[in-house]
Amino acid sequence: MTLADYHHLFPLQHGSRQVFVKAGARGYPDPRYELLARILEPFGERAVDLNPGVGLVSAELLEQIPVDLVETSRACLRCLEQSFATHPQARVLRGLPWEAEAEAYDQAVLVLPAERGSRYVELALWGAAHSLRRGGRLWIAGDIRKGFETYFKQAQAWLGYGLVSHREGSLRVAVLEKENPTPPGEAGWESFEAEVWGRLLSFHHLPGVFSTGHLDPASRLLLHTFHPSLTEDVKGRTVLDLGGGYGGLSLPFAAAGASVTVVEDDWVSVLSAQASFRANGLEGRVFHSDVEEALPPADRFDIIISNPPFHLGGEVILDVAQAFVQAARSRLCSGGRFYLVANSFLKYEPLLEAAFGNLSTLRREGYKVLRSEA
Ligand code: SAH
């Protein structure tokens, strides 16, 4: 798959509706979305979809009522914009599920984002409660193997009456009515400190991002390969972090005097990285970007680093990692270096060989640190 293939949007016919999908975008194929899209009944005059993905569920609702689609992923937003930009009833919004307009909707729909962890799901459920008018209805879809029962109970505690309306294998859909006043909320920010290259850094993040509460051991290993001999080399260099999360890899580079750019698909992570840079008095450019697509086209870098994702909604995927490797090849200055850290079992070597024609394995300690030169 080339970078152009990765960025291509395809029309998908789903029943009588059409939505656009692309590599790296959540929500299709996904049996939770498909089930909810099939059985959902529109209610009232205005709806909000708090985890639309590529928009299967919203596409159904939009036949009957106006829908606001609140999404965090840039890859998904690209699909949603293509599918619904000219739809008079749709509003595609980049945002957090717990920051939707308060008490503004008759209906909220939420495919439980269980792969992001329970704190994130709870905040999303709180967001759903917050967004509904009294008497409004919440539809949730999930999997009993991924905490559905617990989340359903939490939703009942906040909203009021609810029942499980559909069961299919381990999948469940429940409908709840908002009888109670909106419960008090909390912002959700967390932080921790970690020492890297002899400097104490403070990392800030919202729930649901990669490696909450501590630096990821693979990212630590990549940082370790730079210490102590290579850190001098970092000063004054331009560094790009592909898939930057809350800045676990990139903050140390900024603290060591590099000029740092981050691209990140997830808006929750973008906000977290910005908060982390700010908290340490460091500069860093953070782009909400599906791989490199939002970067200024002429930007090139001396060093590119990455701890690429290999899960999407719980499935192992290598499309995004492959796009990262190709983006690294196209964005390095001549003589620049790309450092990638990954689980040992992931077969990234052929991808790097194909893109760069050279490869060194710098470390192998549970994870492996690979380097290619442009
Ligand atoms: N560099 C960080 C995070 C690594 S996890 C650290 O080491 O702590 C990989 C990151 O890639 C996640 O934050 C994930 O949201 C992001 N990501 C996933 N798909 C992406 C895409 N298509 N474009 C950009 N970033 C993506």
Side-chain angles (χ1 to χ4, degrees):
M1 183 187 264
T2 66
L3 204 48
D5 292 336
Y6 173 83
H7 286 304
H8 189 71
L9 274 68
F10 297 89
L12 167 81
Q13 199 65 36
H14 187 258
S16 57
R17 321 268 172 253
Q18 194 194 55
V19 296
F20 282 84
V21 297
K22 73 173 289 301
R26 257 181 308 108
Y28 184 83
D30 186 322
R32 301 169 303 166
Y33 284 89
E34 289 167 57
L35 175 62
L36 189 55
R38 203 166 69 235
I39 64 173
L40 188 70
E41 290 158 28
F43 177 76
E45 286 169 10
R46 218 182 145 202
V48 65
D49 186 343
L50 295 170
N51 185 17
V54 294
L56 283 194
V57 174
S58 283
E60 286 302 323
L61 269 184
L62 275 164
E63 291 304 305
Q64 319 258 355
I65 53 172
V67 183
D68 287 351
L69 296 84
V70 179
E71 178 52 59
T72 56
S73 156
R74 173 83 181 172
C76 292
L77 285 162
R78 295 173 80 189
C79 296
L80 296 174
E81 272 153 20
Q82 178 82 11
S83 302
F84 303 118
T86 59
H87 196 300
Q89 308 245 70
R91 262 207 314 171
V92 175
L93 305 167
R94 175 188 70 192
L96 306 176
W98 55 94
E99 287 179 1
E101 203 179 322
E103 315 213 348
Y105 302 95
D106 304 304
Q107 183 172 27
V109 296
L110 177 69
V111 171
L112 297 171
E115 62 285 353
R116 300 195 69 147
S118 59
R119 278 285 292 138
Y120 187 87
V121 180
E122 279 164 20
L123 271 177
L125 281 173
W126 180 86
H130 177 74
S131 72
L132 285 172
R133 299 192 182 109
R134 283 275 193 118
R137 288 190 190 162
L138 168 64
W139 292 63
I140 57 174
D143 191 321
I144 50 169
R145 295 171 306 183
K146 309 257 169 66
F148 177 86
E149 302 289 355
T150 310
Y151 298 132
F152 177 47
K153 283 202 192 98
Q154 177 65 72
Q156 279 179 306
W158 276 332
L159 284 134
Y161 178 74
L163 59 87
V164 175
S165 71
H166 283 78
R167 297 180 168 79
E168 238 179 66
S170 60
L171 301 181
R172 297 290 180 274
V173 171
V175 190
L176 300 104
E177 187 171 321
K178 181 170 172 180
E179 298 174 325
N180 305 331
T182 302
E186 36 172 327
W189 282 96
E190 294 163 26
S191 68
F192 67 92
E193 293 188 332
E195 196 183 311
V196 185
W197 300 342
R199 185 167 163 172
L200 196 63
L201 294 168
S202 127
F203 296 89
H204 292 246
H205 63 76
L206 288 162
V209 300
F210 174 75
S211 194
T212 54
H214 64 281
L215 285 184
D216 173 64
S219 300
R220 269 202 174 277
L221 186 67
L222 192 157
L223 291 166
H224 225 71
T225 60
F226 277 85
H227 186 69
S229 56
L230 286 168
T231 41
E232 245 329 283
D233 210 26
V234 160
K235 208 174 192 164
R237 303 277 183 186
T238 51
V239 174
L240 172 66
D241 184 1
L242 291 167
Y246 53 70
L249 272 184
S250 53
L251 235 63
F253 280 84
S259 155
V260 167
T261 302
V262 168
V263 291
E264 171 56 56
D265 177 69
D266 171 39
W267 183 240
V268 187
S269 299
V270 167
L271 295 173
S272 302
Q274 287 170 340
S276 293
F277 281 109
R278 249 193 331 268
N280 295 276
L282 296 169
E283 301 273 331
R285 293 192 304 167
V286 185
F287 290 92
H288 191 212
S289 182
D290 181 7
V291 192
E292 86 308 352
E293 108 338 286
L295 275 182
D299 282 16
R300 294 291 178 277
F301 303 88
D302 301 316
I303 298 172
I304 300 185
I305 49 177
S306 189
N307 181 356
F310 60 95
H311 286 118
L312 184 72
E315 302 290 313
V316 173
I317 45 121
L318 293 182
D319 289 1
V320 177
Q322 186 171 6
F324 276 20
V325 171
Q326 289 168 354
R329 181 66 193 88
S330 71
R331 294 301 183 132
L332 273 181
C333 303
S334 155
R337 288 156 296 157
F338 176 45
Y339 296 86
L340 177 150
V341 66
N343 271 302
S344 293
F345 67 86
L346 292 166
K347 303 226 178 320
Y348 289 143
E349 287 85 348
L351 300 179
L352 288 156
E353 281 280 9
F356 290 88
N358 66 78
L359 172 70
S360 322
T361 303
L362 302 182
R363 290 238 184 183
R364 200 178 264 286
E365 285 175 34
Y367 306 95
K368 58 193 173 191
V369 180
L370 307 175
R371 183 187 65 202
S372 288
E373 289 171 27

